[in-house]
Every structure is written in structure tokens, then in C-alpha cells.
Amino acid sequence: MENMMQGVMNKVKTWARINSPWAIHYNSGSCNGCDIEILATLTPRFDVERFGIKLQGSPRHADVLICTGPVTLQSRDRLVRIYNQMPEPKFVVAVGSCGISGGVFQGCYNVVGDISEVIPVNVYIPGCPPRPEAIIHGVVELLKSLQP
Amino acid sequence: MEPKTAPEKFIVPIGPQHPALKEPGHFEFTVEGEVVTNATARLGFVHRGMEKGAENRTWIQDLYLMERVCGICSHVHALAFALGVEKLAGVQAPPRAQAIRELVSELERIHSHLLWLGVAAHEGGFDTLFMFSWRDRETVMDLLETISGNRVNYSANVLGGVKIDISEKQADAIRKGMDFLEERTKHYLKVVTEDETFLGRTRNIGVMTFEQADFLGAIGPTGRASGVKRDVRVDSPYTAYNDFPVKLVTHTHGDLEARFIVRIQELYESYRLVRELVDKMPTGDLTVRVPRRIPEGEVISRVEAPRGELLYFLKSNGSDTPERVKVRTPSLCNWSSVLVTAVGHNLADMPMILAGIDPCFSCNDRIVTVNRKTDSTQMDWEDLRQYGIEYYK
């Protein structure tokens, strides 16, 4: 009986999560290009809020961490801290070429590397910067992978 | 940066991850009740070491690296770099290339100012204006995509010219876009000068007098809103600004409202200039040949970014990689003005005052200050360079 209840609860949780993921955005050293495109996805032409996706201010309220840029030495600790502050289950989306491989900033002395060297990443969105459509597609892919 | 320890004072830390600005920066506001008595900023979260990185790449690779100093004003960074390299190599891009460079600069200024208008309105809690201005900004993003193929890092410059051309069809699209945006901008000017609620957040807030602005070295629209008559496009025209001059826009009040007005009036100037450029575009080649090895020498190249004067210092030792690249961006020059004008205002006004200078962290976070109190030996240029090379080995 208890198992059944838990199963039902889990189903409800997944349903709620897929229908309205709250995201937080952190720039760990990007050039801003990805960030303005992420912002553009919230504005009238692309408007991700119609899918229930909402950009949130606090990591404690967020399900998805949208992270841009290579990770710099300065922002590494902050990125880990934000990740740890997010409640389980949590997902990370790396936006842009720099988040995937370090991009053009490979080899710069203050760059640790890509995001997956610091925190686990679920979805990568390539592009310099990716178009807003690509960012939306990436988030949709993430939500699809959560479907039971 | 001295910590205040008086018992009645309270420090509000903001950032580096915060909902207001989309980039990391850390601020500490000391407050007495609601009133801010001291403000400090800690920058450097986005410092990547690009100036050093540029020394390990060739001149051509650096063009693409420099374009990514900042995603919002990517074209002017590549432009300043390309102009500097061309000056060192002793070549000049053909007139048509110069005109296209100016055209893309102005389109970029339009996109940047509309972006700022939205973000600043958002900080003031006026999300309707944010959504409207970002919707209209898509018009100019489409135009940039039509002519360059990418929405943000256009990569229009090559050393010795441009790689994109403007066809008649594209010119028509640009004219149509400008007509639409000009209509919309009239509306925005009306909103920021007449909307009572909005004026409550901007009029007489964050006032910076001419003397303050001059003393603090405020540049760009932030300085011009306080009456500082400085604009590289007017003072020392580069690319095609000689043939297609721009009118200097200034204001005297120096408050947030003035900064809104100056930026919106600059938009009109940009629309006029873009129309003129597509109508009277010179004909001819797009590129000239630039040698792979750049002759020895030093050069300073200045351009006007949407946020103010952008300065590049380039030093070549005659090889195919630069010896030194130094970038000075406008946002850094304007930070001190925020920290000074913030004092005496309510905490609730802080987001607006911060956004008022159009801060761009990825621009200014390339600077490292080394404070070596114990070591008083003087270092000359070569020693410093050697020190840097050894340090980062």
C-alpha cells in the first residue's frame, strides 16, 4: 500500500515538474552573447512562459540551472554553491560553445574549462551563441528525457 | 573598501548571482534604514584572461577572440582591433568596407540601446516597457541576421575589410526596419518623459553633475547625460564617420531621466545614419590584403561603443602574433560614477542606478589590479611583461 502511494506521488511530482520547470540562470564567465539570447527567449517573440518555464531569482526555488560560458577561477566556487543550494532533483543545461568545451577561451589562464568539469550537465546546447529557438529546443529535450 | 563596523549600520550584499542583472557582480550597500550610505563593488567574476590569451594566438585568430570580449557590443571590439592592425600594417580598408563597418556599428548601437531600455525599465519594475522594447529589438536582430548570418556575434570584420556585403534587397529590408523602429521609438520617448509612475523612478534620481562626471571620467551616454561633450565618432572620426557624420547628443540634468533621453535620441541619430548609409553606400571592393606578419610598432585605436569610448592598445614585434593587447572598455570607466551617485538614495533605487550606466561585466572583467604593498621596487615595461610571462607560465 505504501509503495503504491509512493508511486502515485512520484508520478504527480514528475507531472508537475515537466509542466512547469523553474529555471535559474548563471553566467560563469560567458561573453554575454548567450545571456542576451536566454533573455530573448522570455520576451514576446519566443515567450517560453507559455510552456510554463519561468526564470527564477533564487536557486532554492529552481529545478533547472541554465549556465553559460566557460567557468572562470573566480566564479567556480559560486557555481558549485548555487548548484548545491538547488533542491533535488536538479538539472543543468549548458548553453553555448564555451560551456561545452571552453570555446574560444580555451587556454586562457583564468579559465578552469567547461561546465561539466565543475558540475554534472544534463543537456548541452551548441552555438555561439545558440539561437533562442535552439535554447527552447534544448530545454524541451530535457523535459522529454524526464518523461517516464 | 573599508568595512563599516558601526552598530547601527547594516550591509546588504547583492550578487554575484542575482535576479536583476544577468551577469555576475557583487555589490555591498551599507544602509541606514532605507538610505544607502556607502557602496562598494567587487568585480572580476568574468575575468578570463583574454589579453594574455591574445598573445598566444595569431592576429587573425585574435579577431575572433576579441569579438567575444562582449557579446552585446561584439562588432566594435573586432572593429577597434581590426582598425589598429590595419594602421600597424599601413593599409586602409576600401570605402565600401568602411561604410559597411559603420552601418553594422550603428545597427549594433540600436540593438544595444533597445536592450538597455528594456533592462533598465525591468529594473524599475516596468516590465511592460521591457517586453515592448525587446519585441521591437527583434526587428534589428533580424536585420543583423539577414546581413551577417548570426544574431549576436556577427563577425563582419576581417583584417583589411569586411566579409559581408549589402545587397539592394537587404537595403530595402533595413529601410523598412528603420521606419518601423522610428515610429516605436517616438512612443518610447513619450513614455519615459511623460509617464508619471516611471518619472517617479527616474527624475532627480542618481543625479551626477557635470563637474562630478568630468572628475570621475564618465564617458558614453552616461557622461553625455551630464553634459560631457565627448564622443569618439565626433571627436576623431573613424571608418566612414567623416563622410557620414553623427550629431552629438547631450543633456544637462544628469539624472536617470536624462540618461534615458540621451540614449533614445541617439537611437534617432542611428536611424538617420543607417538610412543615409544604405542610400549612399560607396561602391568598390570589400577587402584589401593584409600581411600575415604585422610590422613592428605600437598603436592606439579608439572607437565609440554603445556604452562609450573603447580603446585598444596593440604592440607588434613583427611576428604573426601580437606582443601585447590592452583593452579599456567603457563600463569600467563608469563604475565609479555609480558608487558615488548611489550614496543618499533609497535601497530600492539601486537597481535603476546600477542599470543606468548600462553596465557590461564581461567587458570590464578583464582587469587585474595587483596591489603589492610590501614590494616598492619600480618595474619598467619590459620587467612587468617578463613578470607577467613568468607568473602565468
Side-chain angles (χ1 to χ4, degrees):
Chain A
M1 185 64 189
E2 209 164 275
N3 274 347
M4 213 178 85
M5 275 304 284
Q6 207 143 37
V8 172
M9 276 312 285
N10 280 343
K11 267 189 189 160
V12 172
K13 275 187 197 162
T14 314
W15 170 81
R17 191 169 296 132
I18 292 172
N19 278 298
S20 183
W22 281 15
I24 108 159
H25 163 225
Y26 184 67
N27 170 346
S28 62
S30 110
C31 74
N32 243 348
C34 298
D35 307 84
I36 57 177
E37 293 295 69
I38 289 172
L39 213 52
T41 60
L42 300 171
T43 52
R45 180 177 291 183
F46 302 102
D47 196 13
V48 285
E49 275 187 30
R50 67 203 150 118
F51 301 125
I53 302 169
K54 187 171 180 287
L55 207 60
Q56 245 298 321
S58 167
R60 295 182 202 282
H61 299 163
D63 307 301
V64 183
L65 171 61
I66 299 176
C67 195
T68 58
V71 183
T72 64
L73 285 173
Q74 284 270 354
S75 63
R76 176 176 55 188
D77 297 345
R78 282 289 168 169
L79 181 60
V80 173
R81 195 161 141 193
I82 288 169
Y83 184 73
N84 289 339
Q85 280 177 348
M86 288 169 65
E88 289 283 352
K90 49 197 169 190
F91 310 97
V92 178
V93 179
V95 176
S97 307
C98 311
I100 296 174
S101 65
V104 281
F105 306 117
Q106 266 174 359
C108 288
Y109 65 82
N110 215 33
V111 171
V112 179
D114 53 287
I115 292 164
S116 65
E117 282 184 29
V118 182
I119 52 173
V121 178
N122 298 80
V123 175
Y124 293 100
I125 305 172
C128 186
R131 299 174 51 86
E133 290 94 327
I135 297 173
I136 296 170
H137 178 70
V139 176
V140 168
E141 285 296 309
L142 174 74
L143 298 181
K144 262 193 210 158
S145 73
L146 301 182
Q147 295 275 13
Chain B
M1 295 287 246
E2 282 158 18
K4 298 274 158 131
T5 45
E8 74 274 16
K9 279 172 185 162
F10 185 75
I11 293 177
V12 183
I14 299 178
Q17 193 280 324
H18 44 97
L21 298 161
K22 297 298 164 213
E23 297 172 88
H26 180 76
F27 308 96
E28 282 182 357
F29 295 110
T30 313
V31 289
E32 262 184 35
E34 269 292 298
V35 180
V36 173
T37 54
N38 192 19
T40 59
R42 191 196 144 193
L43 307 169
F45 288 96
V46 206
H47 175 78
R48 288 152 293 188
M50 294 174 74
E51 291 175 11
K52 197 74 197 159
E55 293 171 19
N56 303 326
R57 290 163 169 79
T58 64
W59 292 101
I60 298 165
Q61 287 171 328
D62 278 340
L63 189 65
Y64 299 97
L65 181 65
M66 285 310 156
E67 192 159 28
R68 282 156 185 83
V69 168
C70 172
I72 299 177
C73 34
S74 59
H75 175 74
V76 285
H77 279 274
L79 178 62
F81 183 78
L83 286 174
V85 175
E86 283 159 20
K87 217 191 266 177
L88 274 176
V91 298
Q92 209 178 9
R96 189 174 174 86
Q98 303 281 24
I100 291 176
R101 281 174 170 179
E102 185 182 337
L103 176 74
V104 180
S105 298
E106 290 305 319
L107 286 174
E108 185 175 74
R109 195 179 316 278
I110 294 168
H111 121 70
S112 177
H113 280 1
L114 284 173
L115 175 142
W116 173 82
L117 178 68
V119 172
H122 172 68
E123 307 300 357
F126 196 1
D127 266 4
T128 318
L129 184 58
F130 169 46
M131 290 296 169
F132 269 131
S133 76
W134 275 63
R135 184 198 66 184
D136 296 336
R137 177 177 161 269
E138 290 296 330
T139 314
V140 68
M141 297 304 273
D142 282 348
L143 293 178
L144 284 164
E145 193 185 0
T146 323
I147 60 175
S148 75
N150 204 1
R151 281 165 55 95
V152 175
N153 293 320
Y154 333 108
S155 193
N157 287 292
V158 287
L159 298 181
V162 290
K163 69 168 80 143
I164 56 171
D165 200 2
I166 310 288
S167 69
E168 211 27 63
K169 206 172 157 194
Q170 287 164 339
D172 276 342
I174 291 173
R175 282 187 202 106
K176 244 185 232 153
M178 291 306 115
D179 290 344
F180 171 73
L181 285 173
E182 188 152 27
E183 266 321 296
R184 293 298 306 167
T185 311
K186 278 180 194 153
H187 173 66
Y188 296 141
L189 190 60
K190 200 163 163 248
V191 169
V192 302
T193 50
E194 285 175 22
D195 189 294
E196 215 37 67
T197 339
F198 198 60
L199 283 178
R201 298 298 309 272
T202 58
R203 192 165 276 176
N204 296 329
I205 303 286
V207 182
M208 182 165 56
T209 59
F210 172 75
E211 285 75 25
Q212 275 179 319
D214 204 38
F215 175 69
L216 295 167
I219 50 173
T222 313
R224 290 199 281 276
S226 300
V228 179
K229 291 190 173 55
R230 232 174 266 151
D231 187 330
V232 185
R233 294 176 290 168
V234 179
D235 301 338
S236 71
Y238 53 97
T239 63
Y241 282 106
N242 261 330
D243 305 329
F244 302 93
V246 66
K247 209 173 81 223
L248 189 69
V249 180
T250 55
H251 204 279
T252 47
H253 288 182
D255 55 357
L256 278 171
E257 190 197 358
R259 292 178 204 168
F260 272 94
I261 292 172
V262 163
R263 285 198 175 89
I264 290 178
Q265 283 179 346
E266 276 186 15
L267 279 175
Y268 286 125
E269 268 302 292
S270 294
Y271 299 148
R272 180 187 64 74
L273 216 56
V274 166
R275 282 206 196 96
E276 215 175 292
L277 277 160
V278 291
D279 286 343
K280 296 179 194 156
M281 180 76 71
T283 50
D285 285 339
L286 289 179
T287 49
V288 289
R289 200 172 155 70
V290 174
R292 189 174 277 265
R293 288 174 197 283
I294 304 297
E296 215 169 304
E298 294 180 0
V299 73
I300 280 180
S301 93
R302 299 193 301 156
V303 299
E304 182 79 10
R307 285 158 187 74
E309 177 190 324
L310 172 70
L311 183 142
Y312 265 64
F313 167 79
L314 305 173
K315 188 178 178 193
S316 170
N317 54 7
S319 71
D320 59 352
T321 57
E323 166 113 351
R324 177 83 172 96
V325 179
K326 163 79 193 137
V327 189
R328 199 192 69 161
T329 52
S331 291
L332 191 78
C333 307
N334 283 335
W335 268 120
S336 49
S337 71
V338 172
L339 302 179
V340 169
T341 51
V343 175
H345 285 94
N346 284 340
L347 190 63
D349 288 326
M350 285 310 115
M352 282 289 266
I353 292 176
L354 277 178
I357 64 158
D358 200 357
C360 175
F361 292 82
S362 56
C363 271
N364 61 44
D365 283 1
R366 289 162 310 83
I367 308 259
V368 191
T369 320
V370 184
N371 188 2
R372 308 179 75 217
K373 278 179 187 155
T374 50
D375 189 358
S376 61
T377 53
Q378 283 198 343
M379 283 175 151
D380 65 9
W381 175 248
E382 285 305 317
D383 292 342
L384 260 179
R385 241 191 77 71
Q386 203 51 42
Y387 176 79
I389 291 168
E390 293 295 325
Y391 187 86
Y392 293 122
K393 232 174 197 171

